Amino acid sequence: TQEMAEPPGLRDERGEGAPGAPTLASPCLADNRLNLDVYPDGCGRFLQLLERHPGDLAQVEFVRLSSNDRLLGTALGILPRLQSLKSLVLKGGHARDEFGSWQPGSLTSLPPDFGNLRCLTHLDLSFNRLSTLPSCISHLRSLRALLVSHNSLEALPEDFGCLSKLTFFSAMRNQLKGLPRSIGELAALQDLDLSGNALEYLPEEVGNLHSCTELDLSGNRLLSIPDSLANLKCLRRLHLHSNLLVTVPASLASLPNLSRLDLQNNRLRAVPPEIQSSPFVRLRGNPLGESEPSPQPEEPSARRLQRLFLASGEDSFTVTSEGCKVLLACGIRFYFPPGAASVPLHIHFRTLAPDPQWVKLRHHDVLLSMVLELRPHGLEFQQEVEIWMPFASPQTLHQREVVIRTFSGQSWSDLRTKVEQKKKSKKHVACCSVLHFSWFLVVSRLVENECKVPAEGTLLFSSVDPDIKVIFPTGVTEKTRSVKMQVLPISAEEIEEITADAGCRASPLLCLSQDCLVDFLRPVRIQLPLPVGVSGLNLDRSRLHLLHGDLQGQTWDDITSQVVLEFTHLYAIFEVTHFSWYWLWYTTKTYIGGIAKKVYERLRMYQVNFIALQRKKDPEQVLLQCVPKHKVDPVLKKLQDRYRGPEPSDMVEMFEGEQFFAAFERGISIDMDRPDCVDGRLSFIFYSHLKNMKEIYVTSPVDRKGQAVKGQVSFYRGAVPESIPEEASRRRKGPDSLWLATLPIKLPKLKSHSGGNPSPLNGFSFPPLNLGNAETGYLTQANLLSIARRVGGDWQTIGLNLGLTYQQIERIGYNHREDLDKQILDMLFSWAKQNSEDPECVEKLITAMKESGRQDIADEIEAIIELGRQKYRESIRRVGLEQESSTEDSAVAMV
């Protein structure tokens, strides 16, 4: 296949491949950049490079290391030797714990000689364990960007203002309670992010940040802001949401460049009219127009709670002693009553995909939601907090109940739960009340009836089948103990289908458990209904069997001869001293234990089909889904307008929470670097009521210019879960035991481009691009090519921050999987083409670079834009359109 030609000037200007260009010392070392945070042993590689190529390493200007690396301490002692260093990233968050949470790095300080890095302009120490800002930072007088977000900083040093060249500073998600007055000396500071701290006040000197264009103070404890903020004439965006503000100065509305003022989720009961009428102001979540709460203690109901509405990008909020109601974008709600938090508390939340390694479902449980994590863990509230979680409707799950389950760090337990259905949306939500935060999820379980058994005895009925009851006689226990009952109804049709024997009958399945390890002192009397179609009048006792199963359902023993069975017209009654599963069977079969085990195993399994569909307009986009048998037709009907593909696979059986894989074969391949890719196969977890679907881009190493590629996707079982019965596990062994199904995938022949020679860029089209406008400055095609040379391995992160979807990023990676330069160019120009008409596109590009940790590129873009502005103003003067007394705005108006 023809390779894409190099865009003009990119490779030559970069120096690679040009005569006399230095050869790379290592695959890790690209030009003057050393990106080692992607390697688990990155610090070890750094030390090896130092030993083998000290001369090359001395010229390095950009270094990225993971602070989760065990050799970080050794590397820190070496880094100050790199006197040419301009950008240093020592971030944590490259490791996860057993629950999938990102782990902070081990960095707690920096060696004093870091202050000798005179060329350093960019320093990122985010996601670490810093409690104080290292003193050596104040000696880095060339520093322009400093990131210390997600640490534990409680204060900034008094001499912080000596960093006179600083243009970008982010200390979000720390524990800052105040700011030094010297912060006002940062005359060059343009972007200041202090969100998610504990700031209660701001010094007046903040108003001296005359170059500041974006100020983020959201998620703090501010009651007011100083009037001096009105001096920030360059300010474009001011974020003050999720504070405790009761007033804001009217002068903010007069800031000439302000395009966004976010005051959502505060305590503003009134705002100046000039602010309220401004189109760029956001005020949702404030008690506007409401009167002050009554001071009388005997009328607490008169107090209206603050309401917080969080957008999809937010992941935290602040709760005070006054309480509040919180609604997340995903539909989860919280109610914090007054007094629940004694001091202002910053709450963090996130949703996680359920991992069967730690989300342990019990037999016959069905998962209905994702996992909700709330932090801080373990902190006890003064009053119970209500949590409302939406969940998948369990319409096909009868005679069951929905509960919220929580994880303590050691084990899962069920909470008392109430369920309701919203009138408008018809969505189901589950509610629980808790005194501490942890992990939460919603499950459907067998209905659980519970009672306390005192020494005097008691009676326990099943709410699923009132004919099932347990009688506890007097003297059955010395100390009161708790007993739980669950019942699994089984129809005669299910028994006949599984056993293929019309003569087999069985009672409902009864499970009894208790919170005491000691057997009962006296026999407990149990009443079970006789199997359907069997009565005391026509009963053949030789065919009736009472089975006892262990709690895992692995063994079923016939205990008919070990107990005394009594019969009435409708019931069988027997006595036991310990609890487990009990099951009545009526059959002529002899080895009834094996049959019961098979039936019990099948009752836990779901019949499913696999589908593999290709998008009609883009056959390289493939949708894979595992669908319960009864949902196949509705799903296919919903997708038929946009997708086409083969018929669903034959029916297979899977357990709730079972892992399976999809492998593309026979000339079809996928990106092996996907996070859900294991040994070249896509990993899935089957949950019957959650979507087991993935849409991915596929490619082929085969030349499709001459022929189509007829490949396939095969589905395989993963590791056998611990909870699967031994017999089922044994049946899955053998050469084809893991294979489930195979479906065809066809990539069509590529269409040839008629007329003329192929483009030298082989599919790339760089139309004349002028992003922005003449007044604010343009970014041209040449500018983008220059920016592309500096992007490197961060292109995917930058693309996502620019708003490209994961599928678009993945597609670009597939198309140019062997060429990083082409990946970068495709990403950058795809975004530029989509956003060329957006007047804010240049600003978005700068923001994306900053969010991706590439302040160096953001600075370059801003320099290009400023140069463009200067040229525009000079051209205006040159043609005589600007009068000496006119302002720049009037000159633009004349144009």
Side-chain angles (χ1 to χ4, degrees):
T1 59
Q2 182 180 358
E3 292 295 320
M4 188 187 81
E6 196 70 46
L10 179 60
R11 185 170 295 275
D12 291 341
E13 290 180 23
R14 183 178 60 232
E16 290 182 25
T23 57
L24 298 183
S26 162
C28 305
L29 185 60
D31 290 336
N32 55 0
R33 308 181 65 87
L34 199 57
N35 297 320
L36 294 172
D37 54 344
V38 296
Y39 300 100
D41 59 342
C43 288
R45 292 175 181 241
F46 173 73
L47 298 174
Q48 290 177 8
L49 283 171
L50 178 69
E51 180 181 348
R52 298 174 184 174
H53 308 280
D56 294 320
L57 210 55
Q59 305 303 316
V60 168
E61 297 180 357
F62 304 88
V63 172
R64 297 177 67 98
L65 293 172
S66 167
S67 57
N68 295 103
D69 197 303
R70 59 184 181 86
L71 294 177
L72 177 67
T74 306
L76 288 177
I78 306 297
L79 285 170
R81 302 182 193 175
L82 308 183
Q83 289 299 305
S84 299
L85 199 60
K86 293 181 179 180
S87 175
L88 176 61
V89 178
L90 299 172
K91 291 174 64 174
H94 293 273
R96 296 175 182 261
D97 62 14
E98 59 181 316
F99 307 114
S101 300
W102 292 111
Q103 292 298 287
S106 58
L107 193 67
T108 58
S109 63
L110 292 176
D113 51 355
F114 260 69
N116 298 327
L117 294 172
R118 303 301 184 188
C119 297
L120 196 66
T121 61
H122 174 255
L123 179 61
D124 190 347
L125 305 176
S126 303
F127 294 95
N128 279 292
R129 304 176 189 269
L130 298 174
S131 56
T132 58
L133 199 67
S135 59
C136 61
I137 290 180
S138 62
H139 298 287
L140 300 173
R141 300 305 171 87
S142 298
L143 204 61
R144 299 186 64 186
L146 176 60
L147 296 89
V148 289
S149 58
H150 295 271
N151 277 278
S152 303
L153 300 175
E154 296 184 0
L156 297 176
E158 288 298 326
D159 62 349
F160 188 69
C162 67
L163 299 174
S164 58
K165 294 185 179 180
L166 203 64
T167 61
F168 181 91
F169 177 55
S170 174
M172 65 181 295
R173 301 292 166 78
N174 278 273
Q175 300 168 22
L176 297 175
K177 298 179 180 179
L179 299 175
R181 297 177 63 181
S182 66
I183 197 168
E185 300 172 14
L186 301 175
L189 192 63
Q190 298 175 12
D191 197 322
L192 177 58
D193 188 351
L194 298 171
S195 60
N197 280 278
L199 296 174
E200 299 177 354
Y201 69 94
L202 296 176
E204 288 285 341
E205 286 76 8
V206 171
N208 296 331
L209 301 174
H210 298 299
S211 299
C212 190
T213 60
E214 180 154 2
L215 178 57
D216 194 341
L217 298 165
S218 59
N220 281 281
R221 303 174 186 174
L222 298 172
L223 294 170
S224 63
I225 55 176
D227 293 335
S228 62
L229 285 188
N231 298 330
L232 305 181
K233 303 301 183 183
C234 294
L235 197 62
R236 298 177 185 173
R237 289 175 295 276
L238 177 56
H239 306 276
L240 291 165
H241 68 80
S242 306
N243 275 279
L244 309 175
L245 296 175
V246 295
T247 181
V248 290
S251 55
L252 291 180
S254 63
L255 289 171
N257 293 301
L258 198 63
S259 61
R260 183 175 182 86
L261 174 57
D262 193 344
L263 296 169
Q264 297 181 93
N265 299 329
N266 279 280
R267 297 180 178 179
L268 298 170
R269 301 182 183 278
V271 294
E274 50 265 61
I275 287 183
Q276 191 161 6
S277 61
S278 297
F280 54 77
V281 178
R282 303 291 182 267
L283 289 167
R284 187 181 181 188
N286 284 283
L288 293 174
E290 298 180 9
S291 58
E292 292 288 338
S294 172
Q296 300 177 3
E298 64 271 11
E299 297 181 5
S301 60
R303 180 184 302 170
R304 291 287 301 273
L305 287 180
Q306 181 186 19
R307 293 175 178 266
L308 305 181
F309 301 90
L310 273 64
S312 57
E314 299 179 75
D315 60 359
S316 64
F317 56 90
T318 299
V319 178
T320 68
S321 59
E322 294 187 7
C324 63
K325 295 180 179 179
V326 183
L327 176 62
L328 307 187
C330 60
I332 296 173
R333 291 182 288 150
F334 306 102
Y335 168 62
F336 294 86
S342 56
V343 297
L345 184 63
H346 204 59
I347 305 296
H348 296 265
F349 63 88
R350 64 173 179 164
T351 55
L352 303 168
D355 186 338
Q357 292 185 356
W358 65 281
V359 176
K360 301 295 185 183
L361 296 179
R362 303 163 192 163
H363 287 201
H364 313 291
D365 283 349
V366 176
L367 188 63
L368 300 179
S369 76
M370 302 289 277
V371 180
L372 169 67
E373 182 187 9
L374 296 172
R375 300 194 308 269
H377 297 161
L379 179 69
E380 187 164 346
F381 292 97
Q382 303 301 310
Q383 296 187 49
E384 288 189 334
V385 176
E386 290 186 3
I387 304 174
W388 295 84
M389 296 182 64
F391 61 89
S393 173
Q395 296 177 351
T396 59
L397 303 175
H398 305 296
Q399 296 176 311
R400 302 169 71 92
E401 61 187 354
V402 172
V403 296
I404 295 178
R405 188 166 292 172
T406 185
F407 188 67
S408 65
Q410 300 294 329
S411 61
W412 291 90
S413 59
D414 293 346
L415 301 172
R416 189 179 299 276
T417 307
K418 59 180 179 181
V419 176
E420 68 177 34
Q421 187 176 15
K422 295 182 179 179
K423 294 182 180 179
K424 292 184 179 180
S425 64
K426 303 298 182 182
K427 292 183 178 180
H428 294 79
V429 291
C431 176
C432 67
S433 299
V434 297
L435 284 172
H436 66 276
F437 279 169
S438 179
W439 292 268
F440 303 88
L441 53 81
V442 183
V443 298
S444 170
R445 70 178 187 189
L446 299 178
V447 174
E448 194 171 84
N449 300 113
E450 184 177 5
C451 73
K452 298 291 185 182
V453 180
E456 298 79 16
T458 188
L459 180 65
L460 176 61
F461 283 93
S462 167
S463 59
V464 174
D465 188 343
D467 291 334
I468 298 176
K469 63 181 179 180
V470 182
I471 304 166
F472 299 91
T474 302
V476 71
T477 181
E478 292 181 350
K479 296 181 179 180
T480 300
R481 63 180 77 181
S482 178
V483 172
K484 296 179 181 179
M485 170 196 292
Q486 290 180 301
V487 172
L488 177 62
I490 306 168
S491 66
E493 291 76 12
E494 287 179 294
I495 296 293
E496 183 177 345
E497 179 183 358
I498 298 173
T499 62
D501 185 352
C504 274
R505 295 286 188 272
S507 71
L509 190 53
L510 171 66
C511 179
L512 296 170
S513 59
Q514 59 169 320
D515 63 353
C516 181
L517 299 177
V518 181
D519 288 346
F520 289 101
L521 300 179
R522 296 187 60 188
V524 175
R525 197 171 177 84
I526 298 175
Q527 173 182 294
L528 279 178
L530 292 170
V532 177
V534 179
S535 69
L537 298 177
N538 61 4
L539 179 66
D540 181 351
R541 295 200 176 197
S542 66
R543 298 176 58 185
L544 192 71
H545 304 269
L546 177 62
L547 303 182
H548 166 269
D550 65 353
L551 292 177
Q552 297 302 318
Q554 295 279 12
T555 59
W556 290 91
D557 299 321
D558 189 344
I559 60 171
T560 310
S561 60
Q562 302 172 28
V563 299
V564 176
L565 277 170
E566 303 175 15
F567 300 97
T568 67
H569 181 61
L570 298 175
Y571 310 114
I573 302 169
F574 57 95
E575 294 183 340
V576 297
T577 56
H578 65 278
F579 283 171
S580 187
W581 289 95
Y582 293 98
W583 207 354
L584 271 178
W585 276 73
Y586 193 74
T587 179
T588 57
K589 303 287 185 180
T590 53
Y591 182 52
I592 187 59
I595 298 174
K597 183 176 181 179
K598 173 185 176 182
V599 172
Y600 182 80
E601 172 191 319
R602 285 284 302 275
L603 289 173
R604 293 182 53 214
M605 300 180 78
Y606 293 85
Q607 296 180 336
V608 301
N609 301 87
F610 297 101
I611 61 175
L613 304 176
Q614 293 172 264
R615 193 178 283 269
K616 292 180 179 178
K617 294 184 178 180
D618 186 359
E620 293 178 342
Q621 187 170 343
V622 180
L623 182 146
L624 304 178
Q625 190 169 3
C626 175
V627 187
K629 182 177 68 173
H630 67 281
K631 294 182 180 180
V632 170
D633 289 339
V635 167
L636 291 178
K637 185 176 181 180
K638 185 177 180 181
L639 298 173
Q640 64 183 3
D641 292 337
R642 292 172 295 145
Y643 295 85
R644 65 164 61 96
E647 291 295 316
S649 71
D650 293 337
M651 186 272 295
V652 297
E653 293 181 329
M654 302 194 76
F655 288 90
E656 184 84 1
E658 184 173 358
Q659 185 180 35
F660 66 96
F661 295 94
F664 288 91
E665 301 162 339
R666 297 179 60 185
I668 306 290
S669 58
I670 60 171
D671 181 9
M672 301 298 181
D673 294 330
R674 288 175 58 107
D676 57 353
C677 194
V678 180
D679 296 330
R681 298 178 175 185
L682 285 177
S683 173
F684 293 77
I685 305 296
F686 173 74
Y687 291 106
S688 58
H689 280 63
L690 301 182
K691 286 187 177 180
N692 307 284
M693 179 186 72
K694 292 184 180 181
E695 192 165 10
I696 61 170
Y697 281 100
V698 300
T699 186
S700 174
V702 179
D703 184 0
R704 292 167 52 202
K705 292 180 180 179
Q707 62 179 357
V709 177
K710 296 180 180 180
Q712 64 186 29
V713 57
S714 295
F715 298 88
Y716 299 88
R717 295 189 190 277
V720 179
E722 298 176 1
S723 58
I724 287 186
E726 181 183 351
E727 183 67 24
S729 175
R730 188 182 304 117
R731 288 204 309 270
R732 296 181 179 188
K733 295 179 180 178
D736 298 320
S737 60
L738 300 180
W739 176 83
L740 291 166
T742 296
L743 295 171
I745 296 290
K746 180 179 179 181
L747 294 182
K749 176 182 175 182
L750 291 177
K751 296 180 181 179
S752 60
H753 297 281
S754 60
N757 296 325
S759 165
L761 296 179
N762 193 23
F764 269 98
S765 175
F766 295 132
L769 281 174
N770 285 309
L771 302 181
N773 56 64
E775 181 184 357
T776 60
Y778 282 125
L779 276 183
T780 65
Q781 172 182 324
N783 297 145
L784 288 180
L785 289 172
S786 175
I787 292 167
R789 292 198 300 271
R790 301 183 59 178
V791 169
D794 295 326
W795 73 271
Q796 292 174 307
T797 303
I798 293 171
L800 291 172
N801 285 328
L802 282 172
L804 299 181
T805 65
Y806 180 81
Q807 287 82 3
Q808 288 175 296
I809 296 293
E810 188 181 38
R811 179 73 177 276
I812 292 169
Y814 292 157
N815 289 344
H816 317 292
R817 58 190 304 147
E818 303 298 332
D819 195 316
L820 177 61
D821 290 338
K822 295 173 185 176
Q823 292 172 342
I824 296 168
L825 288 169
D826 200 351
M827 177 276 294
L828 202 54
F829 280 84
S830 295
W831 170 82
K833 184 177 179 180
Q834 295 173 16
N835 294 271
S836 59
E837 302 299 324
D838 184 357
E840 299 289 330
C841 61
V842 175
E843 193 64 37
K844 291 179 180 177
L845 180 59
I846 294 172
T847 301
M849 293 299 176
K850 292 178 179 179
E851 291 176 347
S852 306
R854 295 306 303 272
Q855 183 68 33
D856 56 328
I857 302 180
D859 292 344
E860 178 181 335
I861 299 172
E862 289 176 335
I864 294 170
I865 293 300
E866 181 58 29
L867 181 61
R869 291 194 194 105
Q870 293 176 6
K871 290 181 178 180
Y872 174 74
R873 288 194 290 266
E874 290 173 1
S875 67
I876 292 293
R877 295 189 187 100
R878 210 166 30 242
V879 297
L881 291 176
E882 184 180 58
Q883 300 176 6
E884 291 183 1
S885 60
S886 65
T887 64
E888 183 178 320
D889 288 340
S890 64
V892 173
M894 291 172 64
V895 175

